Amino acid sequence: MNSALAELWPYLLLILVGYLPNEMWRMLGLVLARGLNEDSEIVVWSRAVATAIIAGVIAKLILFAAGALAGIPLGVRVGAAICGFLAFLAVKRSVFVGVLVGEAVLLLGGYLFAH
Amino acid sequence: MSAPGPFNSNAAAFFGGVKSAWTSVFFLVLAGTYIGMGALAHDYGFSSWWLALSSMLVWAAPGQVILISSLGLGAPPIEGAIAVGLSAIRLFPMVVALLPLLRGPSTRLRDLLLPAHFTSVSMWVESLRLLPGMPRERRIAFCNGLSVGYMSTAVTFGFVGYYLAGRLPPLFAGTLLFLTPLSFLISTARNARAMVDRLALVLGLILGPLLTYWHVGLDLMWTGVVGGSLAYGVHRLREAAR
């Protein structure tokens, strides 16, 4: 691959893998803007599919960590996510508290059990 | 809070929208999300300008996380594209619900192109809340201003996270990187009010790593289709049993 193409390649992927698959749904909504109920079956199903995909990505990011996160042991990463989630449930379903507690546990665990 | 305005011109409505964005709760949410996104892009080998462009073009945090993590881990582009596409179906009903609020008797299709592109959770929630209290002829300008306010926040904090990730000691950089999965886990759990969404969340958390571990091709697509459809099936069975 020559250098100009190698430099443009990530941007081409951004358009093909990120922009177009995402944007087509917005444009479809613009063109087919007839009423679609929030509770219609297809909307319920598509929300479930999207939720499962995001959940899969979340779990992969935590379990198969890359970059700086890979330096923190697996047990600490999973433990921090569980603690953050429990804190979210315990304190008025606050996302802020959950994130704060999860991060604090990760920092502490990472400090104590560094590779 | 009552609806902002009244605005004498479209420019005033636009800047009113920008101000609404920067003073809303979503400002903090986006700042945190995109600091994490910046760290993710840094550690998965993308440039900071690439991230800024992806924030402007994709403009959907879940899609961007899938894009960065799947390409960064070397998955075939088609796998990433399918997963991004499946994660973005939700945008379709959102646009459909938003447009009737924006459309007036003299609105042209091209005036709606930008609001359609800008449609994302933050902008959508605030638009549905604020637009009804506003004269119809100012709504598109306000909505565009709101979106530009949110998007500039995301782009700015994306740069912040990116540069912090490159300069902090490894433990703190790891903490920054953890922000994305942690905040997505908790905010997805909060948004999952119906049983079908909670079940889909749990199934996705299990299936995602399992299919990756078993080296199943198109693992994210199957996680979504199998996990989401199973959750939907259980939901239908429960409805039928009532």
Side-chain angles (χ1 to χ4, degrees), chain B residues 129-145:
Chain B
R129 188 170 72 91
L130 296 173
L131 289 181
M134 198 172 293
R136 208 161 264 279
E137 65 271 20
R138 299 282 178 249
R139 287 180 184 178
I140 290 181
F142 179 84
C143 193
N144 286 336

Side-chain angles (χ1 to χ4, degrees), chain B residues 25-110:
Chain B
V25 61
F26 286 108
F27 177 84
L28 281 177
V29 174
L30 282 170
T33 303
Y34 277 85
I35 285 179
M37 194 84 75
L40 197 68
H42 177 272
D43 281 36
Y44 283 67
F46 295 91
S47 77
S48 58
W49 289 103
W50 184 92
L51 172 68
L53 195 66
S54 97
S55 299
M56 288 186 268
L57 289 180
V58 180
W59 188 228
Q64 284 177 264
V65 172
I66 296 169
L67 176 70
I68 293 169
S69 62
S70 71
L71 289 181
L73 292 175
I78 185 69
E79 292 203 20
I82 291 173
V84 170
L86 283 171
S87 79
I89 303 177
R90 72 201 149 80
L91 295 170
F92 172 64
M94 285 166 67
V95 171
V96 170
L98 177 68
L99 290 186
L101 281 172
L102 295 173
R103 193 177 272 134
S106 61
T107 309
R108 294 158 299 186
L109 186 69
R110 68 164 191 257

Side-chain angles (χ1 to χ4, degrees), chain B residues 8-210:
Chain B
N8 301 319
S9 66
N10 278 341
F14 180 88
F15 287 109
V18 174
K19 192 183 154 215
S20 273
W22 286 349
T23 52
S24 87
V25 61
F26 286 108
F27 177 84
L28 281 177
V29 174
L30 282 170
T33 303
Y34 277 85
I35 285 179
M37 194 84 75
L40 197 68
H42 177 272
D43 281 36
Y44 283 67
F46 295 91
S47 77
S48 58
W49 289 103
W50 184 92
L51 172 68
L53 195 66
S54 97
S55 299
M56 288 186 268
L57 289 180
V58 180
W59 188 228
Q64 284 177 264
V65 172
I66 296 169
L67 176 70
I68 293 169
S69 62
S70 71
L71 289 181
L73 292 175
I78 185 69
E79 292 203 20
I82 291 173
V84 170
L86 283 171
S87 79
I89 303 177
R90 72 201 149 80
L91 295 170
F92 172 64
M94 285 166 67
V95 171
V96 170
L98 177 68
L99 290 186
L101 281 172
L102 295 173
R103 193 177 272 134
S106 61
T107 309
R108 294 158 299 186
L109 186 69
R110 68 164 191 257
D111 300 327
L112 297 171
L113 273 174
L114 263 183
H117 170 68
F118 283 142
T119 301
S120 64
V121 172
S122 47
M123 168 273 211
W124 190 77
V125 170
E126 286 298 88
S127 293
L128 260 60
R129 188 170 72 91
L130 296 173
L131 289 181
M134 198 172 293
R136 208 161 264 279
E137 65 271 20
R138 299 282 178 249
R139 287 180 184 178
I140 290 181
F142 179 84
C143 193
N144 286 336
L146 189 71
S147 309
V148 167
Y150 284 135
M151 199 180 264
S152 60
T153 305
V155 169
T156 306
F157 283 93
F159 278 113
V160 170
Y162 193 95
Y163 283 101
L164 283 178
R167 279 155 189 75
L168 287 174
L171 179 59
F172 290 95
T175 309
L176 216 55
L177 201 59
F178 195 59
L179 204 53
T180 302
L182 183 64
S183 63
F184 268 67
L185 172 68
I186 297 176
S187 59
T188 307
R190 196 192 52 177
N191 294 341
R193 285 193 202 86
M195 190 281 298
V196 47
D197 300 319
R198 290 180 180 172
L199 194 56
L201 174 66
V202 173
L203 288 171
L205 285 173
I206 297 167
L207 282 174
L210 216 53

Side-chain angles (χ1 to χ4, degrees), chain A residues 9-19 21-38 41-70 72 76-78 80-82 84-85 88 93-104 106-107 109-111, chain B residues 40 43-44 47 49-50 53-54 57-60 62 65-67 69 71 73 77 80-81 83-89 91-93 95-96 99 103 109 112-113 116-117 119-120 124 170-175 177-190 194 196-198 200-201 204-205 208-209 212 219-220 223-225 227-229 232 235-236:
Chain A
W9 184 238
Y11 291 91
L12 192 67
L13 285 178
L14 166 57
I15 302 291
L16 294 177
V17 179
Y19 176 68
N22 199 67
E23 193 75 358
M24 68 178 184
W25 296 107
R26 291 179 172 129
M27 291 306 127
L28 211 62
L30 183 62
V31 179
L32 304 174
R34 59 195 163 74
L36 196 66
N37 194 321
E38 265 280 297
E41 295 301 319
I42 186 78
V43 173
V44 174
W45 176 80
S46 72
R47 209 175 56 215
V49 170
T51 303
I53 286 192
I54 300 304
V57 172
I58 292 166
K60 285 175 68 174
L61 284 172
I62 294 173
L63 296 179
F64 313 115
L69 193 56
I72 298 172
V76 173
R77 301 194 302 257
V78 174
I82 292 172
F85 187 76
F88 153 76
R93 294 176 74 79
S94 159
V95 175
F96 185 72
V97 170
V99 169
L100 215 60
V101 169
E103 288 287 6
L106 185 85
L107 203 56
Y111 178 73
Chain B
L40 197 68
D43 281 36
Y44 283 67
S47 77
W49 289 103
W50 184 92
L53 195 66
S54 97
L57 289 180
V58 180
W59 188 228
V65 172
I66 296 169
L67 176 70
S69 62
L71 289 181
L73 292 175
V84 170
L86 283 171
S87 79
I89 303 177
L91 295 170
F92 172 64
V95 171
V96 170
L99 290 186
R103 193 177 272 134
L109 186 69
L112 297 171
L113 273 174
H117 170 68
T119 301
S120 64
W124 190 77
L171 179 59
F172 290 95
T175 309
L177 201 59
F178 195 59
L179 204 53
T180 302
L182 183 64
S183 63
F184 268 67
L185 172 68
I186 297 176
S187 59
T188 307
R190 196 192 52 177
V196 47
D197 300 319
R198 290 180 180 172
L201 174 66
L205 285 173
T212 309
D219 60 300
L220 280 181
T223 300
V225 171
S229 302
Y232 177 75
H235 153 78
R236 287 298 296 264

